[in-house]
Amino acid sequence: MTRPVVTRFAPSPTGMLHIGGVRTALFCWLFAKKHGGRFILRIEDTDLSRSTDDNIRIIEEGMAWCGLEWDEGPVVGDPSKWVGPHGPYRQMQRMDRYRAKVQELLDQDLAYRCRCSREELESRRSAVEAAGKVFQYNRGLDAGKGCAAKHHDASESAAIRFRMPEGGDIVLHDLIKGEIRFPADSLDDWIIARSSETPGEIGVPTYNFCVVVDDTHMEVSHVIRGDDHVNNTPKQIPLFAAFGFPLPAFAHVPMILGKDGAKLSKRHGATSITEYQAMGFLPSAVRLALARLSWTPKQDGKAAETAEEEILTDADMIRLFDLADVQKSAARFDMDKLSWMNQKLIQRASWRELEHHLRPFVPEVVWDEKSDEWKATAITATQKGKSLVEMAESLRFAFERPETFDEAAAAKFITDAVKPALREVLALEDYSHDALKAAFDGIMERHGLKLKDVAQALRVALCGRPVSPMIFETMYLVGRDEVRTRVEKWL
RNA sequence: GGGGCCAUCGUCUAGUGGUUAGGACACCGCCCUUUCACGGCGGCAGCACGGGUUCGAACCCCGUUGGCCCUACCA
């Protein structure tokens, strides 16, 4: 109970970094931060056929973009390096440790060599299933057919199976799901190490085995993972016991489903964290939206009661995070809510914070030449947007001359009645907000127009359409000379 | 087939025996307005079903239905 808090996120690099995984990582991260503990990133690449270095890199970069910095784990982009005292943090680089542990179990007869071939297993399986029963290695209808007692010849290639307890229940005290009991007899002697090409050698250990060895070695105190792992836990618990390892606490977080309740997949739009980055979401918004799926922060025991209270900073989340407030049921991912949160967070951010995030979405070379005042104006003028993509889009007029014009709007707003006023605008020198406002007051007065009349006409001439930020800011952003050029062609 | 998990508005959820079932997103309407937005105000909308227990069930028990997970020499 006095164990220092250590959590870990252990993705397998078999594809993109899925937002479901990011959410799990986020919970681990929040929990560690909350309790002043450490957060570990560990790469589970024992599936040789599907793991790639590219995928490892994508995971590392995705995590970094999302702000989920790890205290221990691989160094981005360099497989030979890592930070932390328990490395390496890629499982394929930890084979010696696993093999030693497998050997330990073998020596104590807690595990045994199984040289049944896949073909043989398959035929036994179908025989048992034909009898309407479940195939479990060396259990039930299959009992006594296993090779536990024979073929101990270490010179033959064989898989290694772990002797599971028989009878009674295996109990899991889950911090989120509560107590879950599994009949021990519903599990069989599972494989902890695959057979090797080389006879007599111990092959690559499997997931459920490596997890136990690593979580113990890395001193993980709280195993927080997706609830698709609930059924793996009763396999792992006896293994901890066999090693004499202390059991970590377990917390299985519910899945994230798509809009239609099915497992979140490409079909629902974006699943990869990289895509959210490209869509112009702030990492802070992604963190908030993900955290709020299945978790209800409680302020003094009460959930949020206003929209404002829904918008939490990282500090708020860390302060409020509690596994007891995590839902047991799966949640559906709602893009609309993410958008709304993104908008709120954009509104709250300072222009300087936003600049760094917006830059990749605008012409960077031009952007970099602009003054701070210009950038600040550009950002504040578009801070009502729902995404960085939207902000950049509504700033296009500032970077390029419109090529096409909304004809109907042009006809409606650039009339003979406003052209004289437009001519006066051409003469203006001072483009500061206050000067423009004073000048416009006079122009409108002299021509008997409303600001709306002049503003809309200018918008069409400047942007090609009757939509833009506030007109004085729009003019400032376009720049005096360019305003003259764009307006003159209409007179 | 076996084992496990889950079930409140369309979505995220509050709720732990007595509430007009509360909030947020989305949607609809109105207001504001220098366009588009932002913002403000208001509205629509829910306890999966069936049995119990109880004076009284969204809350407790059983069943049904539905969804998901595991059942690999994947993770």
Side-chain angles (χ1 to χ4, degrees):
Chain A
M1 309 302 107
T2 49
R3 260 171 106 170
V5 168
V6 178
T7 62
R8 49 54 165 194
F9 173 54
S12 63
T14 53
M16 307 288 100
L17 178 54
H18 193 277
I19 60 168
V22 174
R23 203 278 296 271
T24 302
L26 178 61
F27 278 8
C28 292
W29 182 83
L30 285 171
F31 188 81
K33 294 285 175 207
K34 162 88 181 189
H35 298 283
R38 301 193 328 272
F39 171 56
I40 300 175
L41 173 62
R42 182 175 73 220
I43 305 297
E44 313 224 320
D45 55 353
T46 55
D47 182 348
L48 274 11
S49 60
R50 296 191 299 156
S51 300
T52 68
D53 277 4
D54 268 359
N55 288 335
I56 292 178
R57 196 187 190 97
I58 285 167
I59 287 170
E60 294 168 348
E61 288 174 350
M63 292 281 289
W65 176 76
C66 229
L68 300 176
E69 305 290 349
W70 50 97
D71 303 302
E72 292 180 37
V75 166
V76 180
D78 189 345
S80 67
K81 292 190 178 136
W82 63 82
V83 282
H86 306 295
Y89 294 88
R90 288 187 179 200
Q91 290 186 327
M92 283 313 289
Q93 299 176 341
R94 300 170 63 77
M95 283 304 128
D96 292 349
R97 176 176 295 274
Y98 302 138
R99 293 209 169 101
K101 284 297 175 185
V102 170
Q103 192 54 246
E104 232 178 73
L105 293 179
L106 244 18
D107 292 346
Q108 295 174 257
D109 198 33
L110 293 169
Y112 57 90
R113 299 180 154 269
C114 167
R115 47 177 292 287
C116 301
S117 67
R118 289 172 197 256
E119 296 71 36
E120 184 183 348
L121 249 19
E122 200 40 60
S123 71
R124 270 201 262 158
R125 183 188 311 277
S126 39
V128 171
E129 283 173 359
K133 298 287 262 181
V134 186
F135 176 79
Q136 290 176 285
Y137 184 82
N138 211 14
R139 301 266 175 122
L141 289 189
D142 189 59
K145 296 190 179 137
C147 50
K150 35 185 182 167
H151 301 304
H152 271 242
D153 184 350
S155 69
E156 288 183 84
S157 86
I160 314 293
R161 286 184 188 266
F162 176 61
R163 267 187 224 290
M164 285 286 278
E166 291 178 44
D169 287 348
I170 295 170
V171 185
L172 160 64
H173 297 278
D174 193 275
L175 262 24
I176 292 171
K177 307 273 186 184
E179 182 184 288
I180 304 174
R181 312 184 82 91
F182 304 85
D185 292 332
S186 67
L187 280 348
D188 65 358
D189 293 349
W190 52 284
I191 289 178
I192 57 177
R194 303 166 172 90
S195 49
S196 168
E197 296 289 307
T198 320
E201 192 177 272
I202 293 170
V204 178
T206 57
Y207 163 78
N208 283 111
F209 182 82
C210 298
V211 172
V212 170
V213 172
D214 287 346
D215 284 342
T216 300
H217 178 233
M218 296 178 183
E219 302 177 289
V220 172
S221 65
H222 297 258
V223 173
I224 300 173
R225 71 215 325 185
D227 72 4
D228 49 336
H229 286 292
V230 166
N231 298 281
N232 289 143
T233 314
K235 293 182 186 174
Q236 296 169 198
I237 289 176
L239 192 53
F240 277 101
F243 280 130
F245 289 159
L247 204 60
F250 292 97
H252 288 94
V253 315
M255 309 262 83
I256 296 179
L257 308 175
K259 192 96 187 165
D260 58 359
K263 193 168 181 174
L264 191 61
S265 65
K266 319 91 240 164
R267 192 164 54 75
H268 303 282
T271 54
S272 154
I273 194 69
T274 324
E275 297 175 78
Y276 288 85
Q277 178 177 7
M279 285 187 282
F281 289 108
L282 256 23
S284 56
V286 172
R287 284 195 294 274
L288 178 57
L290 253 22
R292 289 294 281 96
L293 289 177
S294 297
W295 172 50
T296 304
K298 301 278 180 66
Q299 193 89 251
D300 300 319
K302 283 167 64 182
E305 286 173 337
T306 65
E308 281 301 291
E309 288 171 10
E310 295 279 353
I311 307 303
L312 270 33
T313 63
D314 288 337
D316 292 331
M317 291 198 280
I318 290 167
R319 178 168 50 84
L320 266 17
F321 193 73
D322 191 338
L323 288 172
D325 296 324
V326 174
Q327 209 80 356
K328 290 181 179 178
S329 52
R332 302 182 188 209
F333 184 67
D334 184 5
M335 189 73 90
D336 287 331
K337 198 140 187 173
L338 202 212
S339 275
W340 175 75
M341 288 172 165
N342 198 225
Q343 183 176 47
K344 288 295 186 186
L345 258 7
I346 284 175
Q347 287 172 347
R348 288 192 176 194
S350 68
W351 79 265
R352 277 191 189 282
E353 292 174 73
L354 252 21
E355 201 230 315
H356 159 249
H357 290 109
L358 182 61
R359 189 170 172 280
F361 293 91
V362 295
E364 298 182 355
V365 178
V366 184
W367 180 261
D368 290 343
E369 291 168 352
K370 301 293 188 181
S371 67
D372 276 2
E373 187 190 3
W374 192 93
K375 289 181 198 166
T377 304
I379 289 171
T380 30
T382 52
Q383 248 177 302
K384 58 194 177 180
K386 287 192 191 316
S387 71
L388 297 166
V389 168
E390 231 175 70
M391 287 176 72
E393 173 57 28
S394 57
L395 233 31
R396 278 181 69 142
F397 68 87
F399 301 106
E400 58 191 56
R401 240 174 239 179
E403 284 171 8
T404 58
F405 292 85
D406 179 333
E407 298 300 335
K412 182 179 179 187
F413 298 116
I414 307 184
T415 62
D416 290 340
V418 301
K419 284 182 180 174
L422 258 23
R423 284 195 187 88
E424 282 198 47
V425 170
L426 290 184
L428 268 23
E429 293 291 335
D430 189 342
Y431 268 39
S432 68
H433 179 95
D434 292 349
L436 284 175
K437 180 166 188 344
F440 269 65
D441 283 345
I443 292 174
M444 294 182 304
E445 173 82 46
R446 284 193 287 285
H447 299 276
L449 296 169
K450 290 181 177 171
L451 178 56
K452 177 191 286 188
D453 303 322
V454 187
Q456 288 305 79
L458 279 170
R459 285 195 170 94
V460 174
L462 262 22
C463 313
R465 51 179 194 160
V467 178
S468 88
M470 303 299 272
I471 195 61
F472 302 143
E473 278 66 38
T474 301
M475 290 173 67
Y476 168 78
L477 292 171
V478 171
R480 192 180 55 214
D481 293 346
E482 181 66 16
V483 167
R484 286 175 179 165
T485 305
R486 293 189 196 179
V487 172
E488 249 162 11
K489 64 172 287 194
W490 294 90
L491 301 176

